Amino acid sequence: MLTAEPDAHLVGIRAWVAYRFARKTTYIRPMMDLDLSYLNTPAYRESGSSPLSRWPLMRATG
C-alpha cells in the first residue's frame, strides 16, 4: 500500500478599501486592493508500493 505525508503551509492576506463620493448626476469611487500569498512545502514523503509499480513503464530508471 502506498502512503504519503505531505507537509504544506499557506498564509494569505487580503485588504479592500473603497469610498463613494456622490453628487446629483455623477459619483467618484476610489478603490484600493492588496493581495499577498505565500505557500511553502518543506517536505513530502512517500512509502510503500503501488500496484502500478509492477508495470515496467512505471518503474523509475536511472
Side-chain angles (χ1 to χ4, degrees):
M1 175 173 212
L2 182 64
T3 60
E5 295 179 31
D7 189 11
H9 308 284
L10 174 65
V11 176
I13 298 173
R14 182 172 175 94
W16 173 264
V17 177
Y19 187 79
R20 185 174 176 175
F21 298 98
R23 298 284 181 224
K24 290 182 182 181
T25 58
T26 61
Y27 70 90
I28 298 173
R29 187 185 326 182
M31 293 182 276
M32 181 180 185
D33 192 8
L34 173 66
D35 292 296
L36 298 172
S37 297
Y38 175 74
L39 175 63
N40 183 19
T41 54
Y44 185 84
R45 291 176 293 281
E46 289 185 345
S47 62
S49 63
S50 168
L52 295 178
S53 65
R54 295 183 188 130
W55 293 2
L57 295 177
M58 301 302 278
R59 289 190 190 133
T61 59

